[in-house]
Amino acid sequence: MQDKPHAQPPEKLTGLTLTEPKDSAAGLTAVLSTAKHILEEMNLSKGVALLSKLNQKGGIDCMSCAFPDPKERSAVAEYCENGAKAIAEEATDKRITADFFANYSVEELSEQSDYWLGKQGRLTQPMILRAGEKYYKPITWEEAFAFIAKQLNALSSPHEAIFYTSGRTSNEAAFLYQLFVRQFGTNNLPDCSNMCHESSGVALSDTLGIGKGSVILEDFEKAEIIMIIGQNPGTNHPRMLSALQKAKKKGVKIISINPLKETGLLNFKHPQNPIDWVGKGTELTDLYLQVKINGDVALLKALILCILENENLQTLENWSKSANQHHSERNTIDYGFIQTQTTGFEDFITDLKKYNLEYLVEQSGVSIEEIKKAADLLKKYHKIIACWAMGLTQHKNAVGNIQEIVNLLLLKGSIGKEGAGTCPVRGHSNVQGDRTMGIVEKPKPEFLDRLGKVFNFTPPQQHGYDTVAAIKAMYEGTAKVFIALGGNFLSATPDTEYTAKALQNCDLTVHISTKLNRSHLIHGKNALILPCLGRTEKDVQASGEQFVSVENSMGIVHSSQGILPPASKFLLSEASIVAGLAKATLGEKSTVNWDKMIENYDNIRDKIEQVIVGFENYNQRVRHPDGFYLPNGAREGKFHTKDKKAHFTINELPKHELQEDEFLMMTIRSHDQFNTTIYGLNDRYRGIFNERRVVLINPQDMKKFAWQAQQVVDLYSKYHGEERIAKTFVLVPYDIPQQCIATYFPEANVLVPIDLKADKSHTPVSKSVIVKIIAK
Ligand SMILES: Nc1nc2c(c(=O)[nH]1)N[C@H]1C(S)=C(S)[C@@H](COP(=O)(O)OP(=O)(O)OC[C@H]3O[C@@H](n4cnc5c(=O)[nH]c(N)nc54)[C@H](O)[C@@H]3O)O[C@H]1N2
Ligand SMILES: Nc1nc2c(c(=O)[nH]1)N[C@H]1C(S)=C(S)[C@@H](COP(=O)(O)OP(=O)(O)OC[C@H]3O[C@@H](n4cnc5c(=O)[nH]c(N)nc54)[C@H](O)[C@@H]3O)O[C@H]1N2
Ligand SMILES: [Mo]
């Protein structure tokens, strides 16, 4: 029995049906699905008006992912099916009013599914749940700000408060938020990035001197090979498929590395090109390496060994002494680049020699024949782009995963030139921008110095909590107030029942949100919901209509402006909610003129320009229809590491000592969700319909234990003697390596131990959890 209110969605099955996984992504079905989701939430003319502005120059930046816009935009449609779902979710005509909260107690709401909660519509006015009460009640903005300010100011230290951010927040709101938090006196600024691409940031900063990727969209067509590792773009970055299609037509080879044969990586029919609907579509992947979960370092090392097969490793180990003999143009590896631009090569080779190719092959789960084919391609070509996402970042050795990719790119000299480089594909549409704006729990001293100078105060120096540390602090009672600028902290974080207790331990939990979610229902002694404008809506302030700005996954900053009237007259923009909180909390102590900042967002941007490097003439450049590109050393082959070189690194193989009845579980996204927002119950490409409580499992494994297709099971994870359980899942036989299983996030988050986090980046290990399956 779960405690009440329920931290987890109901453990109830909804009626699974299965088909074969699809062999082609998008096409006409995607167009029809777009129409269905839009029309469920609004009328046709509003839908058409919105979609025609989506991702257009000067229009609305799509909030579904951070994939960049092409220079030449389609006049018909510059969005994907899942972007349209995100728009429908936000711009819905349905409303949650004070009556709704009077009808349902918090406990009753918690009995509903996440899908149901999301479908109730937009939040419309500030609500408070006072200590001991069972129902949220309306409150005015003034009272809400005063209530929160009082609690914050009553804390014995500012470090007892936590200020979370989810990556949809605009640059302007994010900048004001971190300024407020630092004037309040803490760096407790965990954000969704801690659960997402933090491992990429850490790995890339250490090796290449910049935590961001080095390629721009135009590089895709100039590359010779694009590797797509641990990413499912067909569902999570569908517009990347059009970019890959274009690249394919220019002759680029694609190597995909993934435990699942993801439909979106196999074949693509352009949804905006009716000729594609009836044709065969474009084959995308040339070579599909179906790696075991977390077998990537083994695979990459095996690939590198095969690339170097005709080189004498002994000579390479002592290479600096004999380097000149290797300088020829078409070598398999780029000796000139390695010698002039990198360090650590010899040590890397010494370490590599330790490994036996057969062992690596076995650990990777991929056949030697396929590895050799991939190595032959990688030998032959010199312009390689490596793309990756959560399949690499959410493991214990996530930083090592990414550093091993960097090793491969450095070996090939595939960085700092056109058509080559690193491409971590970000998730939330402004997660990269939020970090650039200073939403960081471990800020650099130079940043704090500038912030302090521009605003004439002394920012706190002590590092703050990241997401996992924040949960532990609340659990242990050292943090007492939790404020979230967006997101769904309870359901997005690991170890759901543990995190629930952490939030319930707080004196106050506050959520600035557009839609109802489970984090509103698992609350501190007092709780507030502060409803805000979404990106689709007009944001009118004293000086008139405002726009905001965001940074995409490839470092381009551009504007976004809504077109709809606000969902309710009570809504405030995120920026003005932050300013309201700051004014009420800091009062006379603040050196910031918060009203002036909100009056005209140009005033915020002027300050950003003074504090953050790369934002010169921000207000002017952000008005350019294409936006502007931030400085990127790695792209230019300039590495801002301490020694100004790119670094080869030594990365150990991960160890999973699985018992015969244990499985390595990855928690992934279905086609019908945006993180914890559930759009529907289908995962069309994988052929899974009307059910989210599924376990994708290899048929051989099922046979071994005499389990039947669609058998109902419970899942157990055991970590350091503690047991966690997720009940009532259905087995789905699937093409996945043996002893690997997949479930959906957030239903399986309860199984992810709070202490199981990646080395260095502290990202929860959501993609390699050891579990047992117990048949009912
Ligand atoms: N429609 C939609 N769009 C989204 C989101 C969404 O939920 N819905 N979420 C957004 C966010 S915040 C993010 S971060 C991104 C997430 O985008 P993705 O990273 O594509 O999301 P996941 O579903 O977590 O997929 C991980 C992929 O990695 C594979 N994988 C898992 N483990 C391993 C491994 O050990 N090795 C390898 N090589 N592969 C592995 C899985 O099979 C899966 O294909 O998408 C963003 N865009
Ligand atoms: N097991 C497992 N756990 C994971 C992952 C995984 O792959 N597996 N992925 C992780 C990743 S990559 C991420 S990024 C995190 C995501 O973590 P979060 O960003 O915290 O979660 P979301 O589900 O994206 O947040 C959805 C909520 O955001 C609010 N919202 C939507 N739009 C706006 C807006 O414009 N403004 C405001 N203020 N609020 C808004 C709505 O109320 C909505 O309910 O989850 C992580 N958790
Ligand atoms: Mo993410």
Side-chain angles (χ1 to χ4, degrees):
M1 264 303 272
Q2 290 178 17
D3 287 343
K4 286 183 177 175
H6 302 285
Q8 293 178 55
E11 294 163 343
K12 214 167 61 193
L13 299 178
T14 41
L16 171 69
T17 57
L18 295 172
T19 65
E20 284 297 310
K22 300 281 173 291
D23 51 18
S24 181
L28 178 60
T29 330
V31 179
L32 297 175
S33 166
T34 301
K36 173 178 168 283
H37 281 271
I38 288 283
L39 293 176
E40 269 171 17
E41 304 293 337
M42 66 193 78
N43 65 42
L44 183 63
S45 63
K46 178 173 164 188
V48 169
L50 270 173
L51 292 176
S52 70
K53 283 282 179 196
L54 199 51
N55 291 324
Q56 297 295 346
K57 298 183 185 189
I60 307 164
D61 178 62
C62 180
M63 58 292 260
S64 187
C65 75
F67 201 73
D69 307 309
K71 281 229 166 77
E72 306 285 315
R73 314 276 161 97
S74 156
V76 195
E78 195 50 74
Y79 58 86
C80 71
E81 172 196 354
N82 280 350
K85 288 181 200 165
I87 283 283
E89 187 76 21
E90 176 178 303
T92 177
D93 288 332
K94 296 176 193 142
R95 298 287 178 266
I96 292 184
T97 59
D99 287 349
F100 172 91
F101 285 111
N103 283 338
Y104 293 100
S105 69
V106 167
E107 193 178 308
E108 283 163 352
L109 288 173
S110 80
E111 285 161 9
Q112 299 292 344
S113 68
D114 294 338
Y115 175 56
W116 187 91
L117 293 176
K119 283 284 167 236
Q120 301 314 303
R122 283 288 295 277
L123 295 161
T124 52
Q125 66 185 94
M127 304 295 297
I128 185 165
L129 180 69
R130 292 183 195 271
E133 295 195 348
K134 291 183 162 33
Y135 292 82
Y136 270 103
K137 294 189 178 134
I139 183 172
T140 65
W141 282 106
E142 279 71 16
E143 284 167 340
F145 291 145
F147 189 94
I148 298 164
K150 197 167 161 208
Q151 298 257 352
L152 284 173
N153 287 325
L155 294 172
S156 47
S157 148
H159 305 304
E160 289 180 351
I162 287 166
F163 300 86
Y164 174 71
T165 312
S166 162
R168 239 180 225 191
T169 295
S170 65
N171 281 356
E172 290 75 4
F175 183 79
L176 288 191
Y177 190 54
Q178 63 81 34
L179 178 59
F180 158 50
V181 171
R182 294 196 164 107
Q183 292 220 321
F184 177 64
T186 182
N187 286 310
N188 283 343
L189 285 159
D191 81 335
C192 70
S193 187
N194 295 137
M195 298 179 265
C196 186
H197 266 292
E198 184 79 39
S199 310
S200 308
V202 171
L204 295 174
S205 302
D206 284 357
T207 53
L208 302 175
I210 182 166
K212 303 176 182 181
S214 73
V215 305
I216 57 170
L217 195 53
E218 289 69 31
D219 285 315
F220 271 42
E221 290 173 58
K222 296 175 187 157
E224 290 167 322
I225 296 183
I226 299 178
M227 300 177 80
I228 303 168
I229 317 175
Q231 190 202 346
N232 179 19
T235 286
N236 299 313
H237 307 93
R239 289 195 310 141
M240 180 169 163
L241 300 191
S242 354
L244 292 174
Q245 185 184 44
K246 264 196 189 163
K248 245 344 253 220
K249 288 184 175 161
K250 293 262 164 86
V252 178
K253 302 268 185 250
I254 297 179
I255 302 176
S256 295
I257 302 179
N258 199 306
L260 303 179
K261 283 260 172 82
E262 300 287 23
T263 305
L265 292 168
L266 299 176
N267 183 290
F268 172 62
K269 296 183 176 174
H270 204 303
Q272 273 88 51
N273 180 3
I275 297 170
D276 258 18
W277 299 351
V278 286
K280 284 209 303 287
T282 308
E283 298 293 334
L284 293 179
T285 296
D286 295 274
L287 206 53
Y288 212 112
L289 308 182
Q290 214 172 342
V291 68
K292 281 188 203 167
I293 293 176
N294 206 201
D296 302 271
V297 173
L299 176 62
L300 288 160
K301 284 194 192 295
L303 279 171
I304 294 173
L305 272 180
C306 293
I307 293 170
L308 296 174
E309 69 184 345
N310 294 327
E311 305 285 334
N312 182 341
L313 291 189
Q314 216 72 46
T315 321
L316 289 182
E317 203 180 356
N318 302 301
W319 175 65
S320 44
K321 293 174 208 125
S322 56
N324 289 340
Q325 71 202 47
H326 292 290
H327 273 256
S328 105
E329 254 303 287
R330 300 311 284 179
N331 271 316
T332 52
I333 64 175
D334 190 338
Y335 291 100
F337 177 84
I338 296 171
Q339 191 169 43
T340 56
Q341 307 272 48
T342 74
T343 60
F345 179 68
E346 284 91 348
D347 292 344
F348 169 69
I349 296 292
T350 311
D351 181 73
L352 191 66
K353 276 173 56 190
K354 282 195 330 215
Y355 293 96
N356 163 299
L357 181 60
E358 271 166 40
Y359 177 73
L360 292 174
V361 170
E362 195 261 326
Q363 292 292 303
S364 76
V366 180
S367 72
I368 183 69
E369 292 74 26
E370 283 180 308
I371 292 177
K372 289 219 152 123
K373 273 191 216 159
D376 284 344
L377 283 177
L378 291 164
K379 271 186 197 170
K380 193 165 148 201
Y381 295 110
H382 299 263
K383 289 197 283 178
I384 302 160
I385 291 178
C387 305
W388 69 87
M390 297 304 103
L392 289 193
T393 63
Q394 298 175 332
H395 295 282
K396 179 94 173 48
N397 69 326
V399 172
N401 274 338
I402 294 146
Q403 290 188 165
E404 204 61 28
I405 297 182
V406 172
N407 284 341
L408 173 65
L409 294 176
L410 293 180
L411 204 62
K412 296 293 301 177
S414 258
I415 192 116
K417 67 183 181 199
E418 278 199 331
T422 52
C423 184
V425 186
R426 304 275 161 181
H428 264 300
S429 49
N430 197 36
V431 62
Q432 191 160 313
D434 290 347
R435 274 292 163 98
T436 308
M437 290 299 115
I439 304 286
V440 241
E441 73 282 3
K442 298 183 192 70
K444 294 221 173 83
E446 308 87 83
F447 168 79
L448 292 179
D449 267 4
R450 276 195 304 274
L451 188 70
K453 280 203 187 95
V454 170
F455 290 101
N456 195 24
F457 78 112
T458 312
Q461 303 290 316
Q462 180 186 327
H463 283 175
Y465 298 125
D466 59 24
T467 293
V468 170
I471 298 169
K472 297 203 83 157
M474 291 187 273
Y475 189 90
E476 284 155 11
T478 41
K480 299 191 169 96
V481 172
F482 174 82
I483 298 182
L485 181 52
N488 181 0
F489 192 81
L490 170 81
S491 305
T493 50
D495 222 341
T496 315
E497 296 295 339
Y498 182 97
T499 303
K501 291 206 185 83
L503 289 169
Q504 285 164 338
N505 258 351
C506 288
D507 292 335
L508 174 68
T509 49
V510 179
H511 287 89
I512 302 168
S513 314
T514 51
K515 300 288 294 270
L516 183 63
N517 66 46
R518 203 162 289 277
S519 295
H520 304 130
L521 311 175
I522 303 298
H523 51 84
K525 266 188 215 88
N526 294 284
L528 282 113
I529 302 175
L530 305 180
C532 64
L533 292 173
R535 228 181 254 175
T536 50
E537 288 158 321
K538 283 187 189 158
D539 180 352
V540 181
Q541 302 295 345
S543 69
E545 218 174 293
Q546 307 296 311
F547 66 86
V548 292
S549 50
V550 290
E551 174 183 340
N552 69 30
S553 193
M554 295 182 183
I556 292 167
V557 179
H558 63 91
S559 68
S560 174
Q561 186 161 21
I563 57 165
L564 296 177
S568 131
K569 63 179 184 202
F570 297 113
L571 299 187
L572 294 182
S573 75
E574 288 183 344
S576 53
I577 294 174
V578 172
L581 284 172
K583 269 172 60 180
T585 309
L586 305 172
E588 295 296 306
K589 275 189 300 188
S590 181
T591 57
V592 180
N593 184 343
W594 297 98
D595 289 332
K596 186 168 169 219
M597 294 280 212
I598 296 307
E599 197 178 280
N600 186 336
Y601 294 175
D602 279 358
N603 298 334
I604 309 177
R605 286 184 286 266
D606 281 341
K607 292 292 178 192
I608 294 176
E609 171 175 343
Q610 288 175 35
V611 176
I612 297 166
V613 178
F615 284 81
E616 299 75 23
N617 298 324
Y618 192 4
N619 271 312
Q620 184 199 330
R621 287 195 296 159
V622 77
R623 286 177 163 83
H624 188 282
D626 290 325
F628 63 94
Y629 187 57
L630 289 173
N632 190 309
R635 175 166 186 75
E636 297 155 24
K638 292 190 190 123
F639 303 108
H640 300 303
T641 52
K642 280 208 179 98
D643 57 7
K644 305 286 172 227
K645 302 272 185 195
H647 301 162
F648 280 93
T649 50
I650 292 171
N651 306 297
E652 303 280 314
L653 294 195
K655 277 201 201 80
H656 300 285
E657 277 145 12
L658 291 181
Q659 305 293 315
E660 208 165 325
D661 60 346
E662 287 178 335
F663 295 83
L664 205 53
M665 177 183 79
M666 56 179 180
T667 55
I668 57 176
R669 291 157 170 79
S670 83
H671 195 61
D672 270 1
Q673 75 184 81
F674 185 89
N675 299 340
T676 67
T677 299
I678 311 301
Y679 301 134
L681 302 179
N682 301 336
D683 195 1
R684 192 173 81 233
Y685 293 153
R686 300 194 183 110
I688 297 167
F689 295 87
N690 203 39
E691 186 58 78
R692 291 187 49 83
R693 301 186 77 83
V694 291
V695 181
L696 278 53
I697 180 168
N698 184 297
Q700 294 298 324
D701 285 335
M702 294 181 64
K703 214 165 137 197
K704 193 160 124 197
F705 294 98
W707 292 330
Q708 309 298 315
Q710 304 206 28
Q711 183 160 346
V712 179
V713 299
D714 293 339
L715 301 174
Y716 286 82
S717 85
K718 207 167 181 185
Y719 182 78
H720 289 180
E722 299 160 18
E723 209 166 78
R724 292 166 175 83
I725 173 166
K727 286 196 173 160
T728 319
F729 282 74
V730 190
L731 294 182
V732 173
Y734 205 84
D735 180 7
I736 181 170
Q738 276 189 264
Q739 274 199 300
C740 295
I741 58 171
T743 50
Y744 296 135
F745 137 60
E747 284 79 357
N749 283 36
V750 62
L751 296 168
V752 186
I754 187 76
D755 287 319
L756 188 56
K757 54 186 189 196
D759 303 329
K760 293 189 189 163
S761 66
H762 304 169
T763 298
V765 173
S766 316
K767 296 281 194 276
S768 42
V769 185
I770 297 179
V771 298
K772 280 189 184 182
I773 298 177
I774 309 292
K776 293 236 193 189

